[in-house]
Amino acid sequence: MNFISNLFASSENPASLGAKFRQKRLAVFENLFFQHFQKDQAIKVLDVGGTAYFWKGSRLLNLPQIEIVLLNLSTEDTKHPKLQSIAGDATSLLQYKDDYFDLVFSNSVIEHLYTFENQEKMAKEILRVGKKHFVQTPNKYFPVEAHYALPFAQYFPKNLLFSILTKTKLSRLRKWSESEAKQYLEEIRLLDEKEMKSLFPNSKIFKEKVAGLTKSITAHNFY
């Protein structure tokens, strides 16, 4: 039962399948990072929608002059001197001038912005304030929808998916609260490769593969 629970648990659970994918994704990112940045240089990173938990164990925190700013709708206590948490809006980063950050990073956030217009705004701000970027999102067409861990849930009518989430334990082996289910159904707008290319037109596209299928899409400009 523990194996099944871990399989369908949130990626915040270190034993979950999602957490293992995150660790692999972080390793890909770190390899690119260390190919392009010197370990002793001063580096400013903006993590849009990130958490202190995500960076736990990252090699970047060992760098002597790195500063990672976590931007979310509300702040958190990071408990780490190189992680700073601020409240802000991913679609409007007016507090920062052009190219202020050496790198803007974002993991599984841009699909939470309700509309493509908001996703465009976030992408434009990332490209404006960051010299480098690494922006990941689940692939719209991957058979298992990433947020609900349900096969083909992205194609279900919203009222049907709402019922499944709130009245059964098919999604992550638990019943969702009505407010949580409603929030996710409103805010999630999955992206495909074509849309990511349009949002980040001069970027490389990295495809995270599972059984030959693209699980997630990352746009980056580590050339």
Side-chain angles (χ1 to χ4, degrees):
M1 187 62 183
N2 284 340
F3 171 78
I4 298 297
S5 298
N6 289 338
L7 183 66
F8 291 99
S10 164
S11 57
E12 298 304 316
N13 181 339
S16 70
L17 185 62
K20 297 185 188 308
F21 282 122
R22 267 194 184 181
Q23 291 167 3
K24 290 182 179 180
R25 196 177 307 136
L26 180 60
V28 170
F29 162 70
E30 288 183 340
N31 287 336
L32 288 170
F33 180 94
F34 285 110
Q35 290 173 20
H36 289 83
F37 290 103
Q38 300 299 316
K39 293 183 178 181
D40 58 349
Q41 74 180 94
I43 305 168
K44 287 183 177 172
V45 178
L46 176 66
D47 182 355
V48 179
T51 64
Y53 175 80
F54 178 87
W55 294 99
K56 183 180 179 181
S58 171
R59 291 184 287 159
L60 271 64
L61 294 181
N62 297 324
L63 298 178
Q65 298 191 75
I66 195 165
E67 175 188 349
I68 301 176
V69 177
L70 309 175
L71 182 136
N72 289 281
L73 295 177
S74 58
T75 60
E76 67 166 307
D77 184 5
T78 68
K79 296 184 174 63
H80 196 287
K82 293 177 183 176
L83 294 173
Q84 175 191 358
S85 176
I86 66 167
D89 181 352
T91 67
S92 180
L93 301 173
L94 298 178
Q95 66 269 48
Y96 299 116
K97 63 183 181 180
D98 295 1
D99 291 335
Y100 181 83
F101 291 98
D102 299 291
L103 168 69
V104 180
F105 178 93
S106 188
N107 182 79
S108 296
V109 173
I110 197 168
E111 74 274 10
H112 287 266
L113 294 184
Y114 296 86
T115 67
F116 187 66
E117 180 182 3
N118 285 339
Q119 291 168 336
E120 285 181 312
K121 290 178 180 178
M122 176 176 165
K124 286 179 181 177
E125 285 294 77
I126 287 174
L127 295 175
R128 181 182 67 81
V129 304
K131 298 173 187 175
K132 296 285 186 185
H133 61 266
F134 186 98
V135 182
Q136 181 272 352
T137 191
N139 177 25
K140 177 179 180 178
Y141 299 119
F142 188 67
V144 179
E145 203 285 337
H147 304 88
Y148 312 116
L150 288 172
F152 307 107
Q154 61 269 44
Y155 302 112
F156 293 178
K158 286 190 175 183
N159 58 349
L160 172 60
L161 186 52
F162 180 81
S163 294
I164 292 172
L165 295 176
T166 58
K167 296 178 180 180
T168 78
K169 293 185 178 181
L170 292 174
S171 176
R172 302 197 178 278
L173 304 181
R174 66 181 180 89
K175 287 184 180 181
W176 293 48
S177 70
E178 290 190 0
S179 59
E180 183 184 15
K182 184 175 183 292
Q183 177 70 27
Y184 264 68
L185 289 171
E186 288 178 352
E187 74 179 42
I188 299 295
R189 184 191 179 279
L190 295 173
L191 292 148
D192 59 24
E193 182 180 351
K194 182 178 179 180
E195 288 177 322
M196 283 293 281
K197 286 180 177 179
S198 73
L199 293 174
F200 302 95
N202 296 316
S203 302
K204 288 186 175 181
I205 298 295
F206 169 72
K207 301 176 188 179
E208 180 182 19
K209 296 285 188 176
V210 175
L213 302 174
T214 301
K215 182 181 184 297
S216 78
I217 307 160
T218 299
H220 71 84
N221 63 339
F222 287 95
Y223 301 129

